[in-house]
Structure formats: structure tokens, C-alpha cells
Amino acid sequence: MPSSRHADVTVIGLGPMGRALAAAFLAAGVRTTVWNRTPGKDRDLVAAGAVVAATADEAVAASPLTVVCLVNYDATDSVLRQAPVTAALKGRTVVNLSADIPDRARDTGRWAAEHGVDYLDGAIMTPTTSIGTPAGVFLFSGPEALYGEHRAVLAALGGTHTHLGEEISRAAAYDIALLDIFWTSMAGYVHALAVARAEGISPTELAPFAQGIGAILPPLFQELAEDVESGTYSGEGNPITSGISTMAHVVHASEAHGIEANVMRAIEGLARRTVALGHGTEGYSRVAEVLGRR
Ligand SMILES: NC(=O)c1ccc[n+]([C@@H]2O[C@H](COP(=O)([O-])OP(=O)(O)OC[C@H]3O[C@@H](n4cnc5c(N)ncnc54)[C@H](OP(=O)(O)O)[C@@H]3O)[C@@H](O)[C@H]2O)c1
């Protein structure tokens, strides 16, 4: 259990994730003050020992460290940039675990510097059920010394914590890239469930095979990363031209069942453009370079 003045924390935002964060701090014995725009979401936390602040400025004044977890940075701004809250935060630390784009992290970093607020940005890469367990994944960016000052109390959240560097937008940049993987994968999976069902395959029949497809991805992630980094784009054994025909099969089979295939059409179109640019014998990794061409 952390045991200095740094072992007090305020959590702003009691959506599913904010509640999970506050519960983890409380479970670790950290004195935790909470505040949420809409009251009434703190009952379980109060039962676990949380202190409920009546206002956001009272909440941030209660602790040297405030962890913010709101839907986005518009919400964050609407809370933190009220004059009494900004005044109360002077000389204190904010760790913003809300998700948004790197530009918003940079903007918040500038605002914090202008108002004497010590600021770390962050991102949570795992679901609420992972918080307070070894499965949680947290990314942080901002001043190294500031991170060092608060890492002991942040460790109460469990899981793996990575400080990605002093550039304040680094965590948000990783978050965006990783969310790109997550949401395109989820979209592919629900589409596959719909197409399979149209062919008489139930979702639970498909699921174990879907997990098998998922399992071939981690080594491919590494291989493609090396290809893109080195500019090799090796198509040995699996050229883009070969992949295109299977992409087309998914489009045709879906549309034959009246299931829209816009995502796969876009994927196929991108692969065809890559081939048209003269890269048909190369690997799928070449698409990353084509996408980034100006
Ligand atoms: N849930 C997950 O599994 C998960 C995983 C990784 C990362 N995250 C990230 O964690 C953050 C919080 O997620 P969440 O799951 O707790 O749910 P959420 O729906 O993204 O956020 C809910 C929180 O945002 C507040 N909020 C929304 N609009 C607001 C506004 N205009 N002003 C002030 N507060 C506002 C809500 O307050 P009210 O109660 O008053 O509406 C509530 O506290 C998000 O950025 C999300 O991307 C979540």
C-alpha cells in the first residue's frame, strides 16, 4: 500500500472505466476522492470507502494527484478548464486517462503548462475488467520525473505500465494506432459472424475458428513491422495479387446474401491500387507505404 502524501488520489469521471479505476485505488488502500458530472454513480465506491466531493474543484483540491477518465477531451476541458478547478489544480498533478487524438493531448499539455498544472497524459488499452489485475495495460507520456513521482500510486491500478517518453502526445498516438487495429478487427469479426450465419453457421460454431485466425496474427504483426521498417515488402509465398482474389470472394459471398461489404470493398480497392502501382508481387505490408504516400 502506498504510504506518503502521494497515496491520496482523486478520480474525476465515474463511467465504467472511472469506477473501475477508483475501485482499484480503494482496493489498494489509497485514500480516494471521487467526482462525476452526474451524481449517483458512486454508491459502490462509497461503500468501499471513497470520499465524494460536492464539486470538481473540491475534488481536485483533496489530493496531490487527480486521475481524469472521461469520454473525450471536450469533456475533460469542460471540467478542468473551469476557473475554480484550474486554480485548485495549480501545483498539483493531473493524469488524463481519457481517450482522444494526439493534438488534444498536446493542447492539454500547453494549457497545463500555462496554468502551473503538472501534467501526464495516458491511455488504457484494456477493458474495465482488467483494472486492478495483472491484465491491465496502461500507457503514459510526459515528464519522466513527474511520472516517477506518481508511479507508485498509479501501480495500484495493476497491470503493465509503460512510460513512452516525455513527448506529451505519445500515449495518445499509440492509443490511436492500437484502436485502429482493435476496431477494424472488431468490424471484421462482426461482419464474419453475419456472413457465417447467412450460410447456416452459428456464431458459437465459428468462434473457435475465429480464435485460430486471431492466433496467426501476432507473428504476422512482427513480420510486417519489420518489412515496413526496413522497406523490404517481401511477397515471397504470399503476393498481394493472391490475396486480392480471396478479398473478392468475401465481397461476393456477402453481397449474395444481401450483407453489405463496404469495408472489404475498401480493403480490396486498396490492394488493387497497390497492384496498379506496380507492387503486385510484393507482400501486403506494401499497402502501409502506399497509404502513407502524399
Ligand atoms: N470502458 C472501457 O472498457 C475502456 C477501455 C479503455 C479505455 N477507455 C476510455 O476510458 C474513458 C472513459 O470510458 P468509460 O468506459 O468510463 O465511459 P465513457 O462513456 O467513455 O465516459 C463516461 C464518462 O464521461 C463523462 N462525460 C461524458 N460527457 C461529459 C461532459 N460533457 N462533461 C463531463 N463529463 C462527461 C461521463 O459523465 P456522466 O456520468 O455525467 O455522463 C462519465 O463520467 C474513455 O475515454 C474511453 O475511451 C474505456
Side-chain angles (χ1 to χ4, degrees):
M1 181 194 307
S3 66
S4 66
R5 80 187 249 283
H6 296 297
D8 289 358
V9 69
T10 289
V11 176
I12 297 276
L14 299 178
M17 186 52 89
R19 288 201 299 276
L21 299 174
F25 282 127
L26 289 163
V30 179
R31 185 178 187 278
T32 305
T33 300
V34 297
W35 180 85
N36 192 57
R37 177 185 62 168
T38 307
K41 298 191 176 176
D42 46 27
R43 282 187 201 107
D44 289 352
L45 299 169
V46 170
V51 177
V52 179
T55 60
D57 51 300
E58 187 185 309
V60 303
S63 314
L65 170 64
T66 290
V67 172
V68 181
C69 192
L70 301 175
V71 63
N72 55 33
Y73 280 41
D74 283 345
T76 302
D77 288 354
S78 78
V79 175
L80 301 186
R81 300 194 191 196
Q82 298 171 52
V85 180
T86 306
L89 279 173
K90 191 165 186 185
R92 300 177 196 272
T93 300
V94 170
V95 176
N96 194 353
L97 295 178
S98 315
D100 214 312
I101 62 172
D103 264 352
R104 298 300 296 265
R106 286 188 277 271
D107 179 64
T108 306
R110 281 189 293 271
W111 166 84
E114 281 162 17
H115 292 87
V117 179
D118 292 329
Y119 186 66
L120 291 168
D121 204 83
I124 307 168
M125 303 318 311
T126 47
T128 54
T129 47
S130 71
I131 307 305
T133 79
V137 175
F138 296 85
L139 307 178
F140 298 96
S141 47
E144 174 107 46
L146 188 63
Y147 175 68
E149 201 179 317
H150 296 288
R151 66 187 299 175
V153 70
L154 292 170
L157 298 174
T160 307
H161 293 215
T162 306
H163 181 250
L164 296 165
E166 301 234 341
E167 169 55 51
I168 199 72
S169 58
R170 198 90 170 141
Y174 271 72
D175 189 34
I176 290 297
L178 297 170
L179 286 170
D180 196 351
I181 299 168
F182 180 73
W183 284 118
T184 50
S185 304
M186 292 288 275
Y189 186 44
V190 294
H191 192 268
L193 291 177
V195 174
R197 188 146 63 183
E199 284 288 341
I201 302 165
S202 76
T204 52
E205 282 177 314
L206 187 70
F209 294 91
Q211 288 177 33
I213 287 288
I216 68 174
L217 292 177
L220 281 174
F221 283 178
Q222 185 60 32
E223 199 181 298
L224 264 71
E226 288 165 12
D227 261 11
V228 172
E229 198 153 296
S230 65
T232 314
Y233 311 118
S234 163
E236 206 178 317
N238 201 1
I240 302 178
T241 42
S242 161
I244 284 177
S245 77
T246 59
M247 294 170 194
H249 296 333
V250 176
V251 171
H252 296 151
S254 306
E255 292 179 350
H257 285 294
I259 294 169
E260 67 176 58
N262 299 346
V263 173
M264 188 56 82
R265 275 194 177 281
I267 292 167
E268 183 192 350
L270 190 54
R272 289 198 188 282
R273 180 152 66 91
T274 305
V275 172
L277 287 167
H279 304 297
T281 59
E282 297 180 350
Y284 191 67
S285 53
R286 172 60 87 171
V287 174
E289 185 274 319
V290 168
L291 274 169
R293 280 189 200 179
R294 306 226 171 215

